[in-house]
Amino acid sequence: MKELMNTVIIVNSETFGKGDETLGISLIGAFLRKIWANEEKPQTIIFYNSGVKHLGPQSTLLEVLHGLEEQGVELVACGTCIDHYGLKEVLQVGRRTDMAEIVHLMMTAEKTITV
């Protein structure tokens, strides 16, 4: 595996794109699986708003997200969002952070990609 790229990916929704929700959930899963399988990995994936639901017990992406963590990708989640969606005590993967760190990660990354 190559070194992690100084890239941050932002997942700010349960879906990939707007439109059909079922399709969007399928697409975000496919996107994250392709990153997991890709030789090059982002340094960090930031989850906020309803995107934090992917880190909770109802997520269908836990295997992929655990796999990314094992490969060294840092998964961070907005603490305010975790609280809003009732995930404070049940986060399955990743770690809680605050907006100050999210801003720092975005501002110091060579590339930021929002999906």
Side-chain angles (χ1 to χ4, degrees), residues 85-98:
Y85 288 105
L87 299 172
K88 184 176 183 179
E89 305 298 328
V90 296
L91 211 60
Q92 302 293 300
V93 64
R95 68 173 176 82
R96 179 187 187 101
T97 193
D98 59 21

Side-chain angles (χ1 to χ4, degrees), residues 4-76:
L4 298 176
M5 302 173 346
N6 187 9
T7 299
V8 170
I9 294 177
I10 298 168
V11 177
N12 61 15
S13 174
E14 289 177 86
T15 65
F16 192 98
K18 297 186 188 306
D20 185 86
E21 188 172 312
T22 303
L23 176 60
I25 290 170
S26 177
L27 292 174
I28 193 72
F31 175 77
L32 292 170
R33 282 182 188 83
K34 294 299 180 186
I35 291 172
W36 186 24
N38 197 34
E39 192 172 316
E40 295 181 323
K41 308 276 189 260
Q43 183 174 343
T44 307
I45 303 177
I46 299 170
F47 296 83
Y48 64 81
N49 209 322
S50 66
V52 300
K53 291 181 179 182
H54 292 299
L55 307 176
Q58 303 302 316
S59 174
T60 60
L61 301 175
L62 292 175
E63 178 185 13
V64 173
L65 295 172
H66 280 294
L68 286 165
E69 269 193 331
E70 289 171 8
Q71 293 174 332
V73 177
E74 185 174 30
L75 307 177
V76 297

